[in-house]
Amino acid sequence: MKKPVILINFKAYDTSFGKKGVEIAKQIEKISMEYSTEIIISVPPTEIYRIASEVSLPVFAEHVDSNSLGAYTGSVTPEMVKEAGGKGTLLNHSERRIRIDEIAEAINRSRKLDLDSVVCVDRNELVRAIGTLKPTSILIEPPELIGSGISVSKARPEVITEAVEQIKEFPEVMLIAGAGITSGEDVATAIKLGASGIGVASAVMKAKDPMRVVEEFVRSAKSV
Ligand code: G3P
């Protein structure tokens, strides 16, 4: 993962899959190329293969299961994500919580496969605990701001600054911030507060013109 990290989480919006999902991914790819900036997209498991085949962006899973291969109906494992063309995974999103032992196992399995891992936490108290597990990155998101249109940068800047302090113990782990990111100013503020980048969903996936939104985010991230 490269700084500034722009991670767009597709979630399960009606724009996140099928032709619409591919279309948004292609628009994001155009911006990524135009500004020579890496933009990571995390997509539903059914879309990893299709989207990774159509665009050059790093495609992440929104979640992986930590069970080994075998008789585990419904599992999506790191091996499957890798084989589908994925480059990494989100773990423990507020909308998809998992146990700490599952987080640890999923990080280790992903690392062995050269997949990045981005572990979400909902509070500062968890930054050190997850940092010891050495994921590629920690994404801090106050859950009450997710999807609210009120950004963590404006409403809870102390969450970012505290997390940035705590992550210093783990220089190989990046700290990114998300929840309610809506404007270029939100992106720039998060980075000025010390975050290595941002995670975003609704402002892009629900936008009339996602390309315009992503362009504003990238320009602001690069301007800091
Ligand atoms: O994973 C990023 C996400 O939870 C933030 O969502 O809609 O507040 O940008 P949103």
Side-chain angles (χ1 to χ4, degrees):
M1 293 172 65
K2 291 180 197 150
K3 288 188 198 176
V5 178
I6 309 274
L7 191 160
I8 301 173
N9 184 7
F10 277 32
K11 300 197 178 183
Y13 290 106
D14 64 354
T15 48
S16 305
F17 60 99
K19 284 184 188 159
K20 287 183 187 168
V22 172
E23 184 48 39
I24 292 194
K26 285 189 171 168
Q27 290 180 7
I28 296 170
E29 183 185 39
K30 265 190 209 154
I31 300 294
S32 168
M33 285 174 160
E34 197 176 323
Y35 289 88
S36 305
T37 300
E38 182 180 271
I39 303 175
I40 297 167
I41 56 174
S42 58
V43 308
T46 52
E47 309 307 303
I48 297 171
Y49 181 78
R50 186 209 301 239
I51 293 180
S53 307
E54 300 244 4
V55 300
S56 58
L57 302 170
V59 176
F60 280 29
E62 295 177 6
H63 161 81
V64 290
D65 297 301
S66 55
N67 55 266
S68 52
L69 298 178
Y72 300 101
T73 303
S75 290
V76 176
T77 69
E79 293 79 6
M80 296 175 193
V81 169
K82 172 100 181 175
E83 186 64 27
K87 300 284 187 238
T89 187
L90 293 186
L91 291 165
N92 197 45
H93 193 280
S94 279
E95 294 149 11
R96 193 65 192 261
R97 287 265 175 257
I98 56 175
R99 298 191 314 258
I100 188 87
D101 59 310
E102 294 172 323
I103 296 173
E105 180 65 20
I107 291 171
N108 289 338
R109 294 259 301 286
S110 299
R111 189 184 298 118
K112 281 184 193 145
L113 293 164
D114 268 332
L115 292 175
D116 285 325
S117 52
V118 176
V119 179
C120 304
V121 295
D122 65 354
R123 67 197 78 181
N124 291 104
E125 287 85 342
L126 297 174
V127 171
R128 279 200 180 91
I130 298 298
T132 61
L133 302 175
K134 307 272 163 46
T136 315
S137 179
I138 293 178
L139 169 54
I140 191 155
E141 298 194 320
E144 71 279 10
L145 298 176
I146 293 177
S148 69
I150 302 165
S151 72
V152 60
S153 323
K154 279 193 192 129
R156 308 273 317 271
E158 77 287 357
V159 168
I160 303 179
T161 47
E162 279 174 31
V164 165
E165 271 310 303
Q166 289 160 346
I167 208 73
K168 285 182 182 161
E169 252 182 67
F170 311 98
E172 65 275 58
V173 183
M174 284 195 263
L175 189 283
I176 57 181
I181 300 281
T182 311
S183 66
E185 194 190 336
D186 294 333
V187 174
T189 303
I191 295 172
K192 282 181 194 153
L193 291 169
S196 293
I198 59 99
V200 64
S202 50
V204 175
M205 302 312 291
K206 291 168 76 175
K208 282 203 181 97
D209 185 353
M211 220 167 140
R212 192 197 59 73
V213 176
V214 177
E215 183 170 15
E216 183 185 330
F217 287 0
V218 171
R219 286 168 76 115
S220 300
K222 290 191 77 151
S223 74
V224 180

